[in-house]
Amino acid sequence: MIQNLVGGEWRAVEGRDSLPVYNPATAEEIERVPLSGAPEVEAAVAAASAAYEKWSRTPVLERVRLMFRFKQCLEDAFEDLAAVVTRHHGKTLEEARGEIRRGIEVVDFACSAPTLLQGRTLREVNAGIDQDLYRYPLGVVAGIPPFNFPVMIPLWMFPLAVVAGNTFILKPSERTPLGAVRLAQLFQEAGFPEGVLNLVQGAKEAVEGLLAHPGVRAVSFVGSEPVARAVYAEAARHGKRVQALGGAKNHIVVMPDADLELAVPAILGSAFGNAGERCLAGSVAVAVRGVEEKLLPALKEQAEALVVAPGDQPGAQVGPLIRDDHRRRVVGHIEKGLADGARLLADGRPQMQRAGWFLGPTILEGVTDEMAAGREEIFGPVLSVSHQADLDTAIGQANRMALGNMAVIFTSSGRAARRFREEVQAGMVGVNVPVAQPFAFFPFSGWKGSFYGDLHVHGSDGVDFYTRKKVVVTRW
Ligand code: NAD
């Protein structure tokens, strides 16, 4: 049974229900995760609050020295972390390595805290008066990540928070809790003081405990749109600072002048990488009139050639889905799409014969945004293809989505790319780039229902989120 980490001590959770943690490639149970509640949250908040007193006054150079050590621990454990991710999430080892690299990049960014945490000064703002802005930590911060990036998303959160002088409580996804356990072990190995990072394992009840607890000053949440919206409202109701990242329905517009040799594998990588369980997955390819004749056969041929296999198998390109009930939901979307009039260009359902929760790459063609398949997040290896007459109507289709995480255009026209960039209503835009993930020093900036809050994760937004400002006006 997985334990909680409270004040530097790994503690068994007594008298609570637990859930199995599986290897999705085999459907075997590999661990159990306890479902913590209010008493476990209380203990973690007490430990994080006690640690905050000293940690918030620890010089920034000391905090950064520890962060550099943590970075080295992550590099040394790189392959081990990737194996843990593949084993309980299912993604391919190559994808797991990519996730860990992107996570470590946030630690790299956090190591520049002596620059990032600087304030501002303006002397002689008025006769004999100077004005200075200082940054302070907030206190105890909670992080609630989703299942699909068990290492990267926790790393979006706690390194920046703790380097800014906060202490942290991480509540990992109950479906993929093992990445966070490994991260916490490495964090201890790096030598951070007890209670700076705490782990509370669990699900809804643990989240409710964190949102209601007056000792938690801020909440970083990443997950599905309905939960993001609810967490945003509830955390705000309790007077907390909150950033809540939600779901996605990302459109990829393919213009007739696109370089299809580049675009086709890129679109398939975007749609089927991470088995489509990614908030930056390309979900709908919008074929602008003139491209369909070449695009459709190439998508079909290359999708059918993708290797569906357990993530630790050499050459695997598409791993299993996280759970069987999630796979049933995804298959339900395929069936509903077909019932609504879409056509099947590639059918991944025969892959369901094998052990584990596999579903092969599936392409629905002739999808419109009136169909659920064209509107709702599917979060599986399903690419919808729709047709539009021109760039205007393609942008119009993308902009009718309630979610606005990412939008992509493939074109060789600078003019079309610029129009797209200016007019599309999404916070992350790719131009001939299929997964427009900002690097750690830029914010991860979803729009509309993909984000509730003001300050995004990482980049300068992340620094602002985890600090509060004090302005001092001085006259001598
Ligand atoms: P989820 O919303 O089910 O769970 C996210 C977290 O919230 C988990 O830690 C879970 O324990 C907790 N939770 C679940 N239900 C809750 C409830 N009713 N009350 C309180 N807490 C609850 O999401 P998931 O299935 O783990 O992750 C997939 C979703 O996350 C997708 O919608 C995906 O688009 C989204 N996502 C978004 C981003 C982004 O950056 N915008 C990144 C990754 C994933």
Side-chain angles (χ1 to χ4, degrees), residues 210-267:
L210 288 166
L211 298 184
H213 201 296
V216 175
R217 300 306 314 148
V219 176
S220 297
F221 173 90
V222 181
S224 57
E225 190 279 338
V227 182
R229 188 160 20 102
V231 164
Y232 178 68
E234 187 63 8
R237 197 171 73 79
H238 288 281
K240 299 186 197 319
R241 188 178 285 200
V242 50
Q243 50 182 190
L245 286 66
K249 187 70 181 172
N250 305 313
H251 282 52
I252 300 182
V253 172
V254 192
M255 297 297 286
D257 61 6
D259 172 355
L260 291 188
E261 263 179 50
L262 169 88
V264 170
I267 294 167

Side-chain angles (χ1 to χ4, degrees), residues 144-148 153 156 171-175 202-204 207 221-224 227 245-248 279 377 379 405 444 450:
I144 304 160
F147 81 83
N148 61 330
I153 294 184
W156 282 359
K171 199 298 291 169
S173 163
E174 66 279 18
R175 287 184 282 181
K204 187 169 187 272
V207 172
F221 173 90
V222 181
S224 57
V227 182
L245 286 66
C279 69
E377 182 176 45
F379 222 57
N405 222 31
F444 196 95
S450 296

Side-chain angles (χ1 to χ4, degrees), residues 128-331:
I129 293 184
D130 304 325
Q131 204 155 302
D132 307 291
L133 180 149
Y134 297 88
R135 286 178 187 275
Y136 290 82
L138 307 172
V140 178
V141 177
I144 304 160
F147 81 83
N148 61 330
F149 286 95
V151 166
M152 181 184 75
I153 294 184
L155 289 177
W156 282 359
M157 301 172 173
F158 73 83
L160 259 186
V162 304
V163 89
N166 301 286
T167 55
F168 206 89
I169 302 173
L170 183 65
K171 199 298 291 169
S173 163
E174 66 279 18
R175 287 184 282 181
T176 53
L178 297 175
V181 169
R182 199 69 196 93
L183 286 177
Q185 289 165 345
L186 295 168
F187 194 81
Q188 286 185 301
E189 207 178 301
F192 280 91
E194 293 173 354
V196 172
L197 174 65
N198 305 274
L199 281 194
V200 173
Q201 300 289 353
K204 187 169 187 272
E205 199 182 331
V207 172
E208 286 167 351
L210 288 166
L211 298 184
H213 201 296
V216 175
R217 300 306 314 148
V219 176
S220 297
F221 173 90
V222 181
S224 57
E225 190 279 338
V227 182
R229 188 160 20 102
V231 164
Y232 178 68
E234 187 63 8
R237 197 171 73 79
H238 288 281
K240 299 186 197 319
R241 188 178 285 200
V242 50
Q243 50 182 190
L245 286 66
K249 187 70 181 172
N250 305 313
H251 282 52
I252 300 182
V253 172
V254 192
M255 297 297 286
D257 61 6
D259 172 355
L260 291 188
E261 263 179 50
L262 169 88
V264 170
I267 294 167
L268 297 177
S270 180
F272 303 129
N274 225 56
E277 292 171 331
R278 175 158 71 179
C279 69
L280 294 180
S283 180
V284 180
V286 185
V288 173
R289 188 179 296 150
V291 78
E292 61 278 10
E293 261 179 44
K294 286 192 181 146
L295 178 68
L296 266 53
L299 284 176
K300 174 181 168 63
E301 189 192 327
Q302 292 183 37
E304 287 174 344
L306 290 171
V307 179
V308 179
D312 58 0
Q313 200 166 294
Q317 290 174 298
V318 183
L321 294 182
I322 189 69
R323 293 284 181 272
D324 193 37
D325 59 350
H326 179 57
R327 179 172 67 165
R328 279 202 297 273
R329 241 198 79 244
V330 174
V331 170

